[in-house]
Amino acid sequence: MTDPQAIQPSALDQLPDRDPEETAEWQASLDAVAKAAGPHRAAYLMRRTLERAEGNGIALPKLLETDYVNTIPTAAEPSAPGDEEMERRIAAWNRWNAAAMVTRGSKHGVGGHIATFASAAWLYETGFNHFFKGKEADGSGDQLYIQGHASPGIYARAFLDGRLTEQHLDNFRQEAGGEGLPSYPHPRRLPWLWEFPTVSMGLGPLSAIYQARFNRYLTNRGIKDVSASHVWAFLGDGEMDEPESTAALALASREGLDNLTFVINCNLQRLDGPVRANFKIVQELEAQFRGAGWNVVKSLWGSAWDELFQLDTTGALVRRLREVPDAQVQTYQTRGAAYIREDFFGKDPALVELAKLLSDDKILECFHLSRGGHEARKVFAAYKAAVEFKGAPTVILAQTVKGHTLGEGFASKNANHQMKKLSVDEFKAMRDLLELPISDSQFVDGVVPYGHPGADSPEVRYLQERRAALGGPAPARRTHALAPLPAPADKAFASFDKGSGAQNIATTMAFVRLVKDLVRDKETGKRWVPIVPDEARTFGMESLFPSLGIYSPKGQTYEPVDRDQLMYYKEAKNGQILNEGITEAGSMADFIAASTAYSTHGEAMIPFYIFYSMFGWQRTADQMWQLGDQLGRGFLVGATAGRTTLTGEGLQHADGHSPVIAATNPAALSYDPAFAYEIATIVKDGLRRMYGEAAPGEDQNVFYYLTVYNEPMPQPAKPSAPGVDEGILKGLYRFNTAESAGVEVAAANAPRIQLLGSGTAIHWVLKAQRLLAEEWGVASDVWSATSWTELRRDALEADAALLRGEERQPYVRRALQGAEGPVLAVSDYMRQVPDQIAQWVEQDWSSLGADGFGLSDTREAARRHFGVDAQSIVVAALAQLARRGEVKATAVKEARERYGL
């Protein structure tokens, strides 16, 4: 990893040196030790010296921190190209229109945020003018993760650029009419502009890291060279409190992701007040990122501070800046020069003398206005250092003032995040400050006007020329006209139609076998992205290690302990498997990057992420929403699913509710297949829909959730009856009848019941079918419910069609039409899962499920505990028939006693 100090001047160069000769002697001594005794001895002595200094109470920055000054000294700042005055005017128009948009929208009560973009404007403008590559640039251009609350400023720039109209701006946060703008970055709502949804705070930083990592994966695997693409993540200092924000910092440095830059807008405020009222968030973040191995660039002070640092011949100013807590810095922003003289400078005699050399105006300029994040030259220097740094990712800590240029009523006020509008007088003051040619007469009836210099103005031409030079508009999401991927050979799917014969196979293993065949496909095999959170052996995937390889940017620099074994642990630079370690959040971030590569990079990738079902939706459901928001495609596989199938694992591992959570996500197609051939049918159709020839009206921007089980069971052959494939995909089909199952029922007109089972529950239902016939003279038909959720969605669509005056019958009603007797539905999940369809079933309805907490025991004991085993199903069926008068009530009591219930 490259040392940051090797490519940029030291921040220490800015500090006063009262005795350069003495300093040189200390440095010479250190050099001599390193030469005579080696670098390790020199490092040891330095550590001991620092320990002694700390023990003696000598104030020194911590080892992971530098002083509270800019990393790049003013003398080392590169000259920014371009027309600085022109860029200032462009930024002024964008500041104005962002504030105007939110203020005008506030009359409709839709809210909005002004202060965030006001603080970060130059962080974006500098990037748009000089750094952010568009989609026509090399590779795929850059990927921009925009801070959600700054969206008005991005819309304002798109308006200046001609990509949005006044009508669009007036429909900010008003989308129902079709011409509105979503409140925050949202690809599903504005798919030509936004690539990445970022307002579920913390997920943006995590996703940005894995996006940068996936870019390297695509390049190293030879799918597409995107080495010229850079990932920029714009974050808030308050956002960094989210655990996800810093969860993958070590991954980024470990893999040397120098194609990644975090820009943290350190305006020292979160939503309610200071981020670190009694501390310093910049120093905390610096230590955190340096400790994780990142290159850190601090851009804290503007050029007005240069004079102060030159006057500081004793170092007192730097010491004072280091000790003042953030909340007090915010207070200085709102107080006059006299207060600052007394409270800041008055604490040290040397500073008192320094302050005598400063006018009140100079003090106010420094403490009210001059921040590193507010000056194009300072920001340019930081960005240039970031993109030129090699060997590690860079974080830029840019200090700003929240509400900058919005007036004294906004700047650094604790409540400014909730302040939605400026008064007319405040707008006029802002106009004068920004030097915008907007007259008082343009404020009609108290409505603030939008400002635009004209489509052919120098400002707009400059903006568009800069974007053209950088590869086109940004941000932008590309919709590629990709050719459908060829369907894999049918042999891979058809092999499951025959069943497993006498062999018992868990559906988890059936899915893995299917994937093994699909990744061998000559046309599409390389596009599969297997993702697993350190559980590959649990799911029987270790045989993929030597054939596909586990991705590592370093390849394999060691001899694996199991190298002499057939299924040895193989890492490779072009490895296909992403084995993330124990991080479901990281695995989901991987999945999101892979699932949207069709848009981000114009390359269709087929991710499947297999995980303990209990640790998927429950743990990372917010990321599943992010996946849907970002229009991702792929297969999520909840393995070892169900509440009773994991023998002995207990409550924390017993998933009885993931289909309930999945049902809440409109982009998720949730299936609970019972048999191997159902899995093959669903995956085959999923590949067609997401990556092949989608049917008219089908949304390709969906993802699949399949629950699969670890209990080895007989896998039957696929029924040959017509409509089976349709039923599997729509969610329900008749697996057998009492007659086709060969179950003998004595009476010719025996009572009949319809048994619906999903997933592993189908096996208990089939056993109950035999018991009902052999011991109670009841005939039953068994139905496989592959998706309760898809049945419900179809029924809801039918209801909506009826309201429009269209005649449409829900599929579940059509499928069960004419089926004799009541319906009993059984699931290894809480009853809420099958009960989703109850209101559309015309027959009498009842259900069984595993409600409550899980427990550790055998499968049989767990099923008896929850009342979902075959015997419990029999009792429930008899009770349902008894209520209808079709069996004697005494049969229910007799059955309970016989089965010990």
Side-chain angles (χ1 to χ4, degrees):
M1 186 179 297
T2 305
D3 183 355
Q5 306 301 340
I7 67 162
Q8 60 191 31
S10 170
L12 293 174
D13 292 346
Q14 298 173 85
L15 307 183
D17 189 349
R18 291 185 293 178
D19 193 341
E21 184 176 347
E22 182 183 34
T23 303
E25 291 174 359
W26 277 77
Q27 291 172 334
S29 298
L30 181 63
D31 292 342
V33 171
K35 183 177 181 180
H40 294 294
R41 177 60 180 171
Y44 175 82
L45 290 176
M46 286 298 301
R47 286 197 300 271
R48 287 298 191 189
T49 302
L50 288 170
E51 289 173 3
R52 176 60 62 88
E54 184 175 358
N56 289 339
I58 299 173
L60 286 172
K62 295 178 181 178
L63 288 174
L64 293 177
E65 296 179 16
T66 60
D67 280 297
Y68 203 65
V69 295
N70 295 348
T71 302
I72 303 171
T74 302
E77 290 172 1
S79 297
D83 186 331
E84 186 174 341
E85 173 56 25
M86 185 69 73
E87 292 174 13
R88 186 199 66 78
R89 296 208 302 268
I90 292 171
W93 285 116
N94 292 337
R95 286 180 181 278
W96 177 272
N97 287 321
M101 179 195 327
V102 176
T103 297
R104 288 167 68 128
S106 69
K107 294 186 176 182
H108 303 287
V110 294
H113 300 285
I114 304 176
T116 295
F117 177 72
S119 67
W122 276 113
L123 303 180
Y124 292 107
E125 291 299 322
T126 304
F128 285 129
N129 288 327
H130 301 289
F131 291 94
F132 304 158
K133 295 187 288 292
K135 296 301 180 183
E136 303 304 323
D138 292 342
S140 303
D142 289 353
Q143 288 82 55
L144 308 180
Y145 288 77
I146 304 295
Q147 190 179 2
H149 293 130
S151 64
I154 309 304
Y155 290 139
R157 198 170 211 274
F159 170 64
L160 202 65
D161 194 12
R163 295 200 288 164
L164 292 176
T165 66
E166 286 194 15
Q167 183 180 359
H168 285 115
L169 301 192
D170 264 346
N171 285 322
F172 175 58
R173 292 192 167 205
Q174 299 173 74
E175 298 179 79
E179 290 293 323
L181 300 178
S183 51
Y184 303 120
H186 206 304
R188 189 169 285 276
R189 288 292 181 233
L190 205 61
W192 59 268
L193 181 72
W194 298 121
E195 275 196 291
F196 308 107
T198 54
V199 146
S200 190
M201 286 190 282
L203 298 189
L206 181 68
S207 290
I209 290 173
Y210 280 89
Q211 182 65 57
R213 194 280 193 93
F214 189 74
N215 290 359
R216 289 281 172 83
Y217 171 89
L218 283 179
T219 300
N220 288 338
R221 286 198 55 217
I223 302 292
K224 182 180 182 181
D225 184 359
V226 294
S227 55
S229 293
H230 200 88
V231 178
W232 299 83
F234 288 84
L235 319 168
D237 46 2
E239 181 180 5
M240 301 311 293
D241 283 346
E242 288 284 3
E244 297 88 350
S245 294
T246 55
L249 297 187
L251 166 72
S253 62
R254 184 170 65 244
E255 298 202 359
L257 298 180
D258 50 27
N259 60 339
L260 170 67
T261 298
F262 275 17
V263 181
I264 303 182
N265 178 19
C266 297
N267 57 34
L268 313 185
Q269 286 185 249
R270 50 191 179 197
L271 308 189
D272 286 334
V275 179
R276 292 290 183 272
N278 294 297
F279 306 94
K280 302 191 81 63
I281 185 60
V282 169
Q283 300 299 88
E284 178 182 322
L285 291 173
E286 178 184 28
Q288 192 170 16
F289 278 86
R290 283 193 188 278
W294 286 53
N295 175 40
V296 179
V297 177
K298 294 196 292 191
S299 183
L300 307 181
W301 307 111
S303 55
W305 283 83
D306 292 346
E307 180 184 345
L308 273 69
F309 287 123
Q310 291 172 1
L311 294 172
D312 180 30
T313 58
T314 65
L317 177 61
V318 173
R319 290 195 299 272
R320 181 64 178 141
L321 288 173
R322 189 168 63 233
E323 69 188 21
V324 175
D326 283 351
Q328 191 63 26
V329 173
Q330 299 295 81
T331 299
Y332 295 148
Q333 178 70 36
T334 63
R335 300 298 177 87
Y339 178 89
I340 298 171
R341 285 183 186 277
E342 178 182 352
D343 191 86
F344 181 84
F345 293 99
K347 304 297 183 182
D348 186 300
L351 291 181
V352 171
E353 293 304 312
L354 187 152
K356 291 178 180 178
L357 304 175
L358 305 175
S359 68
D360 286 355
D361 287 344
K362 182 65 176 181
I363 289 175
L364 294 179
E365 181 186 12
C366 289
F367 283 84
H368 286 192
L369 301 174
S370 187
R371 300 291 187 274
H374 293 327
E375 296 188 13
R377 180 173 177 174
K378 303 289 185 184
V379 176
F380 181 88
Y383 284 9
K384 189 171 187 293
V387 296
E388 291 180 353
F389 188 86
K390 301 303 177 186
T394 293
V395 60
I396 295 170
L397 302 175
Q399 186 160 276
T400 66
V401 174
K402 192 167 185 177
H404 183 59
T405 74
L406 297 180
E408 294 181 0
F410 265 82
S412 294
K413 295 296 177 67
N414 283 339
N416 62 17
H417 191 77
Q418 281 71 37
M419 296 163 69
K420 313 298 182 188
K421 59 185 178 180
L422 278 69
S423 69
V424 170
D425 287 342
E426 287 172 324
F427 265 110
K428 290 179 179 178
M430 179 183 178
R431 171 201 61 191
D432 296 340
L433 176 67
L434 298 176
E435 300 177 350
L436 290 172
I438 297 174
S439 66
D440 288 354
S441 63
Q442 291 178 258
F443 291 81
V444 180
D445 297 327
V447 177
V448 57
Y450 293 121
H452 199 292
D456 196 39
S457 64
E459 291 93 334
V460 172
R461 288 201 306 271
Y462 182 89
L463 182 156
Q464 293 175 342
E465 287 168 2
R466 292 305 309 140
R467 290 311 315 157
L470 288 165
R477 181 179 179 273
R478 179 67 57 85
T479 301
H480 296 270
L482 298 179
L485 291 183
D490 197 57
K491 179 181 178 182
F493 305 102
S495 62
F496 291 88
D497 293 349
K498 301 175 183 178
S500 63
Q503 184 182 12
N504 288 348
I505 298 176
T507 52
T508 296
M509 290 307 304
F511 177 82
V512 171
R513 287 187 185 182
L514 175 61
V515 169
K516 287 179 182 177
D517 290 338
L518 293 176
V519 296
R520 295 191 189 103
D521 185 82
K522 293 182 180 179
E523 295 290 336
T524 60
K526 68 178 183 179
R527 297 192 175 274
W528 284 85
V529 183
I531 302 168
V532 59
D534 202 34
E535 290 280 7
R537 298 183 193 278
T538 302
F539 306 137
M541 293 174 61
E542 62 268 32
S543 63
L544 296 177
F545 290 169
S547 58
L548 300 184
I550 300 167
Y551 173 74
S552 170
K554 290 186 175 295
Q556 193 155 38
T557 61
Y558 60 92
E559 183 178 354
V561 66
D562 53 0
R563 182 62 183 87
D564 56 343
Q565 298 178 15
L566 182 63
M567 292 185 287
Y568 72 98
Y569 195 84
K570 177 186 175 184
E571 294 188 85
K573 190 171 183 179
N574 64 347
Q576 193 164 349
I577 301 169
L578 293 173
N579 193 328
E580 290 306 340
I582 306 174
T583 167
E584 286 82 9
S587 299
M588 267 307 301
D590 255 338
F591 186 90
I592 291 169
S595 71
T596 54
Y598 73 92
S599 172
T600 308
H601 295 298
E603 295 288 345
M605 304 300 288
I606 311 170
F608 80 87
Y609 164 34
I610 187 167
F611 51 88
Y612 260 85
S613 65
M614 183 66 166
F615 306 137
W617 284 88
Q618 172 174 302
R619 197 162 196 154
T620 56
D622 197 12
Q623 287 178 285
M624 274 72 163
W625 274 99
Q626 182 187 17
L627 168 63
D629 291 344
Q630 203 167 314
L631 309 178
R633 305 169 185 174
F635 296 95
L636 297 176
V637 183
T640 58
R643 183 147 275 164
T644 70
T645 60
L646 275 172
T647 53
E649 289 287 357
L651 186 155
Q652 288 94 347
H653 286 65
D655 171 22
H657 54 281
S658 70
V660 177
I661 308 175
T664 66
N665 191 313
L669 277 61
S670 177
Y671 286 91
D672 186 24
F675 304 123
Y677 67 79
E678 293 177 352
I679 293 173
T681 301
I682 293 164
V683 171
K684 180 180 180 181
D685 195 67
L687 289 172
R688 175 201 62 80
R689 176 170 179 173
M690 294 185 291
Y691 300 98
E693 296 283 0
E698 273 188 324
D699 184 4
Q700 284 189 284
N701 298 318
V702 295
F703 61 92
Y704 284 68
Y705 176 54
L706 280 70
T707 46
V708 293
Y709 300 83
N710 73 325
E711 184 175 8
M713 299 296 286
Q715 297 298 327
K718 188 177 186 177
S720 57
V724 170
D725 281 359
E726 179 190 24
I728 291 172
L729 299 175
K730 286 187 174 295
L732 183 69
Y733 69 97
R734 183 154 46 195
F735 175 72
N736 69 22
T737 63
E739 293 74 20
S740 67
V743 180
E744 296 287 339
V745 181
N749 59 344
R752 185 176 288 265
I753 189 170
Q754 307 299 315
L755 301 178
L756 279 57
S758 67
T760 193
I762 199 81
H763 300 285
W764 328 325
V765 170
L766 288 168
K767 184 177 179 181
Q769 182 187 41
R770 293 194 300 275
L771 291 175
L772 282 167
E774 295 169 1
E775 300 186 11
W776 305 99
V778 173
S780 56
D781 302 333
V782 173
W783 300 70
S784 178
T786 54
S787 179
W788 308 101
T789 300
E790 287 306 296
L791 291 172
R792 175 180 176 81
R793 288 176 177 170
D794 172 80
L796 289 172
E797 290 173 7
D799 286 355
L802 285 174
L803 290 175
R804 297 191 300 267
E806 303 170 18
E807 287 296 328
R808 180 174 164 188
Q809 190 177 32
Y811 174 82
V812 63
R813 187 169 295 166
R814 278 192 289 119
L816 291 170
Q817 197 164 35
E820 298 178 41
V823 168
L824 175 60
V826 186
S827 163
D828 200 23
Y829 300 94
M830 55 199 303
R831 287 175 61 180
Q832 184 177 340
V833 175
D835 283 349
Q836 291 181 86
I837 66 169
Q839 72 183 83
W840 293 282
V841 174
E842 294 182 322
Q843 294 86 344
D844 290 343
W845 173 271
S846 184
S847 64
L848 296 175
D851 284 80
F853 288 112
L855 75 164
S856 299
D857 214 312
T858 63
R859 293 181 177 119
E860 293 75 15
R863 285 162 190 164
R864 175 57 58 91
H865 170 80
F866 286 110
V868 292
D869 60 343
Q871 293 79 9
S872 298
I873 295 171
V874 168
V875 173
L878 293 174
Q880 203 170 0
L881 291 167
R883 286 194 295 271
R884 295 163 54 94
E886 297 180 24
V887 301
K888 294 179 180 179
T890 55
V892 181
K893 182 175 182 295
E894 182 183 346
R896 281 201 302 266
E897 292 173 351
R898 180 183 302 183
Y899 300 136
L901 297 177

